[in-house]
Amino acid sequence: MARLLGELPRGAPAYEGLAARIRRLIAEGRLGADHQLPSERSMAIALGVSRTTVTRAYTELTDTGYAHARQGSGTAVRVPGSSRGALGGLLAVQDVDETLIDLTCAAPAAVPQSAAAIAWAAEQMPAQLRGTGYYPEGLPELRDLVAARYAERGLPTSPGQVLITSGAQAGLALATRLLISPGDRVLAEDPSYPNAIAAVRGAHGRLVTHPIDAAGWDAATLESTLRRAAPSVAVLMPDFHNPTGALMGASMRARLAEMFRRSGTTVVVDESSAELSLQHPSGMPAPFAAFGADVITVGSASKSLWGGFRIGWVRAPERMMAALVGTRASVDLGSSVLDQLAVSHLLRDLEPALAERRAGLRRSRDALAAAVRSQLPSWQFTLPGGGLSLWCALPRPYGPELVQAAERTGVLLVAGGRFGADGGLAANLRLPFTVDESVAAEAVRRVAVADERVRSSFATVRRRSETGRTPLIA
Ligand SMILES: Cc1ncc(COP(=O)(O)O)c(C=O)c1O
């Protein structure tokens, strides 16, 4: 904890500085909900401050909603505003407060065709009820349809190469668990999808990062990283990378696939957003696995259709299937039959649902982008050609403070640091365009109010420091 906190700001009352640092770690997602804070005594010793300082800092955190005291067992972190801490602040939680706009989660509501698909699935169930309902590899018809969709996208695939999972996250967990031995080096983009990083860490891999922004991947940097670190596995998101929105072109796919082949690195591709091109879906490059024989691909119906189906898949060389199914068996024994049927129904006539999804995202993206341009003109972003979010660069690193201020205006955001392998990214913020256009515009209006408040607090701080008073925001 002392290392995470770093040196406390000088001059300000020490308790304020300590409370501010802890709040920042919470906003960055580095301290999750219910994380036990060190005892006042040990914190005081570790930081070389008085115990009264720590007591006052904890009291301030409790008073401002960032901590809660537990009878007889110290003080623990509270993530203000919701119970999202348990889900890493990334998955939708229906907040009790309806006036809040939740931009913590880049996941859209179901496509309208879903209700009919569920009704159709329910009608099919009597035939299913006669069997056990266990399909460890997935419902055969769904495997067929997923394989056929890969073929349409330029990657010939047999149903025997497809394993249906409970969402892409389960697929990522499965692939990382199978491929990573404790201590193995694993390459991942930085920033990245936090739950992908969590899957790598859960498999006890050692992260090696490749910096990325909206401009995408740099082959020369990657090549030297591969030479230096020789990672055994790489986890990549070439299709509208979360959070930057970058799309890897076909020639870069070919080049990187060849580099990974030479370095003996097994690539796991998370293509959760691959169907979400907002420009020219026909111009999408073929899936990354079309460029490398041993690539493992993790896909999902969550973003294109609905996350509530909890249906995803792993596409892998057929010879790996038995190992994947074996690994899966220790975690779950298959996905819900009803949901697999519903997704099968949607995949059988996918174009109308996808067209609807893309049109909705395009409208929200454009509304969000227009609102940011007009109300937050000093923010910068590259308009992504697909995916689910704008990755914004703030003029200064005040993201964590902004997240706190935005919550007070009724918008829940995730600090950029949540997407960093090691936190940081205080000057970045992800704004998902998964809410309706009007909500997107209102969200930006509120964020702009928060932005103004944070900046004027900087101005006050500057004025104070010019007059010898202490800056509160380091
Ligand atoms: C890049 C990425 N991978 C995986 C997931 C998890 O998706 P699923 O709902 O399919 O488990 C998400 C969801 O946010 C995501 O953005």
Side-chain angles (χ1 to χ4, degrees):
M1 177 64 92
R3 192 166 40 79
L4 274 180
L5 288 167
E7 203 179 321
L8 296 183
R10 286 166 203 274
Y15 81 91
E16 273 183 16
L18 175 56
R21 279 289 158 85
I22 294 175
R23 266 199 303 272
R24 192 175 177 119
L25 292 175
I26 295 169
E28 287 178 354
R30 296 211 249 175
L31 296 180
D34 292 326
H35 181 98
Q36 183 78 30
L37 293 172
S39 72
E40 290 168 5
R41 185 168 169 276
S42 56
M43 185 77 127
I45 293 169
L47 298 178
V49 298
S50 76
R51 192 163 163 181
T52 317
T53 296
V54 181
T55 308
R56 289 188 70 185
Y58 283 8
T59 305
E60 179 172 315
L61 289 169
T62 307
D63 290 348
T64 50
Y66 284 86
H68 56 97
R70 290 169 160 167
Q71 198 95 48
S73 54
T75 305
V77 167
R78 191 178 162 268
V79 179
S82 77
S83 53
R84 66 208 136 112
L87 294 171
L90 287 171
L91 298 179
V93 168
Q94 295 308 315
D95 239 290
V96 277
D97 183 351
E98 284 174 9
T99 61
L100 276 180
I101 301 176
D102 186 351
L103 296 188
T104 60
C105 182
V111 288
Q113 290 82 352
S114 301
I118 293 165
W120 178 88
E123 282 167 22
Q124 311 310 306
M125 284 305 281
Q128 289 292 333
L129 296 175
R130 288 195 285 275
T132 65
Y134 287 91
Y135 294 98
E137 287 124 348
L139 200 66
E141 60 204 87
L142 181 54
R143 298 175 80 198
D144 290 351
L145 286 157
V146 171
R149 182 70 189 149
Y150 274 115
E152 276 170 25
R153 291 175 49 214
L155 177 61
T157 300
S158 74
Q161 287 179 270
V162 176
L163 170 71
I164 305 299
T165 58
S166 301
Q169 188 60 35
L172 274 174
L174 193 53
T176 47
R177 203 179 229 241
L178 179 65
L179 297 171
I180 300 170
S181 300
D184 279 357
R185 278 188 284 263
V186 180
L187 184 113
E189 293 124 345
D190 188 18
S192 182
Y193 172 57
N195 293 337
I197 299 289
V200 171
R201 293 209 163 114
H204 305 289
R206 272 189 293 158
L207 270 181
V208 178
T209 53
H210 176 65
I212 174 174
D213 56 22
W217 299 256
D218 181 67
T221 311
L222 190 65
E223 188 155 38
S224 79
T225 307
L226 291 182
R227 216 174 299 122
R228 178 174 46 79
S232 54
V233 175
V235 178
L236 300 181
M237 280 177 274
D239 305 277
F240 308 117
H241 171 268
N242 183 2
T244 65
L247 173 68
M248 191 187 290
S251 57
M252 183 65 97
R253 288 177 193 230
R255 195 165 165 200
L256 298 197
E258 174 55 19
M259 280 193 281
F260 286 120
R261 191 193 62 73
R262 271 191 269 120
S263 67
T265 305
T266 306
V267 182
V268 177
V269 165
D270 175 352
E271 51 154 45
S272 299
S273 297
E275 299 278 19
L276 303 182
S277 172
L278 303 182
Q279 315 201 115
H280 37 72
S282 59
M284 274 294 280
F288 192 94
F291 299 88
D294 288 334
V295 172
I296 293 175
T297 308
V298 174
S300 176
S302 289
K303 305 302 159 84
S304 52
L305 302 172
W306 188 40
F309 287 125
R310 304 308 309 130
I311 295 294
W313 48 84
V314 177
R315 179 202 180 275
E318 218 159 322
R319 63 182 155 70
M320 290 187 66
M321 270 300 136
L324 281 166
V325 175
T327 304
R328 166 188 216 158
S330 68
V331 184
D332 73 354
L333 300 174
S335 305
S336 148
V337 172
L338 188 70
D339 292 302
Q340 294 188 75
L341 284 168
V343 171
S344 301
H345 193 65
L346 289 165
L347 289 186
R348 221 170 272 122
D349 187 18
L350 186 59
E351 276 317 315
L354 276 187
E356 192 101 36
R357 166 65 80 232
R358 289 173 181 146
L361 287 177
R362 202 177 294 117
R363 281 195 301 273
S364 299
R365 178 197 64 178
D366 293 347
L368 189 71
V372 172
R373 280 192 198 109
S374 77
Q375 299 193 48
L376 293 159
S378 60
W379 288 29
Q380 291 183 350
F381 62 87
T382 302
L383 192 75
L388 298 157
S389 48
L390 294 188
W391 181 239
C392 300
L394 316 184
R396 294 175 57 189
Y398 58 82
E401 289 82 2
L402 182 65
V403 170
Q404 293 167 23
E407 181 160 352
R408 289 192 280 277
T409 67
V411 182
L412 301 179
L413 300 167
V414 180
R418 192 71 184 80
F419 301 89
D422 277 311
L425 300 172
N428 289 100
L429 209 65
R430 184 186 77 164
L431 294 181
F433 38 87
T434 45
V435 289
D436 281 351
E437 303 151 78
S438 57
V439 179
E442 172 60 15
V444 174
R445 193 193 64 71
R446 295 183 194 182
V447 172
V449 169
D451 189 78
E452 176 52 36
R453 284 185 192 157
V454 174
R455 283 161 180 257
S456 52
S457 79
F458 275 121
T460 313
V461 163
R462 244 194 326 274
R463 274 199 303 281
R464 278 208 214 139
S465 65
E466 277 155 16
T467 57
R469 300 276 301 277
T470 320
L472 292 177
I473 302 168

